[in-house]
Amino acid sequence: MKKFVLFLMVITASILMVTACAGTPEPALIEEPQPPAPPPPAPPSPPPAPEEAAVLMHAPLYTRHQSGVILDEASHYTVRYRDTLASIARRFYRDGSLYPLIYMVTDEVSDPDLILPGMILTLPVVDVNMEDQTARESINRSFIDSAVFEERRGRGRTAALIRSHVH
């Protein structure tokens, strides 16, 4: 029995020595993920032609519809039952013959005589667009097309009113 107790004491002492000598293990080094490398810079764009540079330096930056009409400060209107483009233009612009301006920037409308409740129309600001040459030229073309449309539908008086806005 003395041998067994002695044996247990030697084992216990050995275990204590091993753990005392081992100490605390050093933490393993964990590499943090590196952020992806930034994309290479885009090649510089060629400088604009001198005429274009002069125009770009003086032209204000606007948000434009694909037609060229300025959409900055435009409002939106949801069509209600019995609305027409002319009645909406009369309500917001005080002139129903300005409806082609709404028609040309609202892509959802394919026929000015066919608007449906729930459609959302864009109402550009008239003064801003009439002061801008690009927008005004686009509006004039659209108004001429709308006047022709009105004449074909037998509405000569409306066509004349629309044409009165072409400058």
Side-chain angles (χ1 to χ4, degrees), residues 77-84 88 91 115-119:
Y77 175 78
T78 303
V79 176
R80 295 183 288 185
Y81 179 70
R82 293 192 172 245
D83 276 341
T84 65
I88 295 165
R91 185 177 315 141
I115 61 170
L116 302 172
M119 284 182 167

Side-chain angles (χ1 to χ4, degrees), residues 8 14 29 32 41 44 49 52-53 60 62 65 68-69 71 85 123 138 140 146 152-153 155 162:
L8 284 179
S14 299
L29 293 178
E32 293 185 21
E52 291 177 28
Y62 292 115
H65 180 264
V69 172
L71 297 178
L85 286 180
L123 308 171
S138 177
N140 285 342
S146 294
R152 287 183 182 155
R153 299 253 171 134
R155 299 184 288 232
I162 291 171

Side-chain angles (χ1 to χ4, degrees), residues 88-105:
I88 295 165
R90 194 168 23 271
R91 185 177 315 141
F92 289 95
Y93 300 139
R94 306 235 186 270
D95 185 345
S97 64
L98 288 173
Y99 84 81
L101 183 59
I102 301 169
Y103 173 61
M104 69 186 293
V105 297

Side-chain angles (χ1 to χ4, degrees), residues 66-152:
Q66 64 191 8
S67 65
V69 172
I70 298 169
L71 297 178
D72 293 347
E73 300 179 30
S75 55
H76 297 317
Y77 175 78
T78 303
V79 176
R80 295 183 288 185
Y81 179 70
R82 293 192 172 245
D83 276 341
T84 65
L85 286 180
S87 69
I88 295 165
R90 194 168 23 271
R91 185 177 315 141
F92 289 95
Y93 300 139
R94 306 235 186 270
D95 185 345
S97 64
L98 288 173
Y99 84 81
L101 183 59
I102 301 169
Y103 173 61
M104 69 186 293
V105 297
T106 306
D107 298 327
E108 190 176 355
V109 179
S110 59
D111 182 336
D113 287 337
L114 297 175
I115 61 170
L116 302 172
M119 284 182 167
I120 299 173
L121 307 178
T122 303
L123 308 171
V125 177
V126 175
D127 295 340
V128 171
N129 281 288
M130 295 314 276
E131 292 171 3
D132 181 79
Q133 181 180 355
T134 303
R136 187 175 55 248
E137 289 171 358
S138 177
I139 290 167
N140 285 342
R141 285 190 301 274
S142 178
F143 275 45
I144 290 168
D145 291 344
S146 294
V148 169
F149 173 85
E150 292 295 336
E151 284 176 342
R152 287 183 182 155

Side-chain angles (χ1 to χ4, degrees), residues 14-28:
S14 299
I15 292 174
L16 288 175
M17 288 177 73
V18 169
T19 45
C21 290
T24 57
E26 290 186 28

